[in-house]
Each structure stands twice: as C-alpha cells, then as structure tokens.
Amino acid sequence: MFFRRSRPAPAAELSDAELLRRYHAQGDVHDLGALYERHMTEVLAITRRYLRDEDDAKDAVMQLFEQLVSKLRQHEVENFAPWLHATARNHCLMALRARQRAGPAAGGALVVHFPDAAGMESVVARHLETDDPAEADLHEQQLQQLEHALAELPPGQRQCLELFYLEKKSYRDIADLTGFDLNAVKSYIQNGKRNLRRHLQSTAASNASP
C-alpha cells in the first residue's frame, strides 16, 4: 500500500484564522505574506492617516511586516484584523514620538488630522512637548478614539470617509474606486459624518461622566 503525502492547502483557500495558525505552527513566510496582503490596504490607510507622508506611510507598512515575522511566531492572536490595526496604530505613534524627540530640524512637529465633534472638516495641529506626558496621553487617546469610531462605521461609510477626507478624493474618484454610484457616495459620506460625530460625542460624554 502506498501513502501519498497530502499537499498543504493554498493560502488563498484558507481563512485568516487558518493562515495565522499555520504560520504560527510552521513559520512559512509565504503564508504570512498572503495574510498580510489581504489587509495591506487598511494598514496603509492607517499609516497615511497618522504619518501624513506617503513615503513614510509605505515604509511603515514594510516595517510592520518585518515585525510580524517574529511577533506572530511568538504570540498567538485570536482576531487578526483588529490586532493588526492596533499594532499599526501603535507603530505610527512610536514613529511620531521619535520624530518629536528629534526636534523641528527633523520635522518633529506632530500634525494630526482629527475630526472634532462638529465634523471632519477641521484639522488639529499639535506640537507636543516631551516633558508633558499628560498632553501626550490626551493626544494618543484622541487618535485611538478616531480609530475606534471609524471602525464602528458600516464599511461603505468608513471607506468613503477615508477616501474623501484622508486621501482627498473627489466624489467621482470615490465612485470609480469603489464601484458605488455617485448618489451612494454622497449618502455614505453624509451619514458617515453624522454617525462618526455621534460616536465621538458619545465617547466624550462617557469619558466625562464620573
């Protein structure tokens, strides 16, 4: 009797969780690459949002992958997408702090695009001092609140808001990129702004309550 060794399933046929378990067990970087590629668009959106420089954002995407090679062999992760988003955000915050410590000559001012309770039109520019941890903590909390608020939106609203406000795409550009018709794009942006504002106001009220 002859036994034929079963071939491993192609990465494209496996879920995120299955790919993650196989990489954790076997360490095949091709599995990790396939997994990371599925989420690279979202990761790039996060790094662009925080770092604002296209080259820095793309560098951060590559640096994150290099970190994942060892991290995901050492730690078990249950929900990959939320964990990856948090890891990307923390990586960007560390990069911003390093830029801040380097001082103005190295472009150390932190410029953060953050929608206030009135909507996403305003841009908040902050210069954080390294000797003021309370201010730095507040700044980080605001960034986390934005990330969480965007994550709570329906996918269409989130995608249109990020393209319109963070990547400065026109309604027509967004329609072409997403496949949504023009009226749907306008509706997603209007409803997304309203829902984002409500979420941020709710979060602010919860934080203010004793």
Side-chain angles (χ1 to χ4, degrees):
M1 182 179 293
F2 295 93
F3 295 91
R4 180 178 297 176
R5 180 179 298 175
S6 61
R7 296 180 179 177
E13 296 179 3
L14 299 178
S15 67
D16 284 5
E18 290 168 334
L19 264 180
L20 194 57
R21 284 194 296 268
R22 192 165 79 176
Y23 176 72
H24 185 76
Q26 301 177 9
D28 188 340
V29 178
H30 290 93
D31 283 340
L32 180 59
L35 177 62
Y36 192 60
E37 188 173 2
R38 294 177 183 177
H39 300 272
M40 194 176 293
T41 300
E42 292 86 351
V43 172
L44 181 58
I46 291 171
T47 59
R48 281 172 172 163
R49 185 181 310 143
Y50 283 79
L51 302 179
R52 305 308 302 172
D53 180 87
E54 185 69 15
D55 289 337
D56 287 349
K58 290 179 178 178
D59 287 345
V61 171
M62 298 306 299
Q63 292 163 6
L64 279 164
F65 180 76
E66 293 170 0
Q67 293 176 15
L68 296 185
V69 171
S70 59
K71 279 186 177 181
L72 291 175
R73 290 300 308 279
Q74 299 168 3
H75 306 287
E76 292 188 6
V77 175
E78 293 185 1
N79 298 312
F80 180 69
W83 178 87
L84 178 61
H85 295 171
T87 300
R89 182 179 66 242
N90 291 336
H91 178 86
C92 291
L93 288 171
M94 290 178 64
L96 289 172
R97 287 171 185 150
R99 188 186 301 174
Q100 172 196 344
R101 288 194 296 270
L110 292 183
V111 180
V112 178
H113 293 243
F114 182 78
D116 62 13
M120 291 189 71
E121 293 87 352
S122 65
V123 174
V124 180
R126 296 175 180 269
H127 296 257
L128 300 180
E129 300 295 333
T130 56
D131 59 353
D132 189 356
E135 181 68 14
D137 286 345
L138 176 61
H139 183 68
E140 183 168 345
Q141 289 171 14
Q142 289 178 328
L143 291 172
Q144 292 176 353
Q145 287 169 13
L146 170 59
E147 191 70 30
H148 293 160
L150 285 169
E152 291 294 321
L153 296 178
Q157 293 179 14
R158 181 176 68 249
Q159 187 178 14
C160 289
L161 282 178
E162 289 179 345
L163 288 170
F164 187 70
Y165 287 105
L166 302 178
E167 299 189 28
K168 306 303 182 184
K169 301 294 185 184
S170 68
Y171 287 164
R172 175 55 62 188
D173 290 338
I174 296 171
D176 292 341
L177 288 167
T178 62
F180 302 140
D181 64 50
L182 209 56
N183 288 332
V185 170
K186 294 177 181 178
S187 177
Y188 280 142
I189 290 175
Q190 291 174 355
N191 292 332
K193 279 181 57 177
R194 182 169 59 252
N195 291 333
L196 187 66
R197 181 168 60 248
R198 287 174 179 170
H199 186 92
L200 292 171
Q201 288 174 334
S202 175
T203 301
S206 298
N207 293 338
S209 62

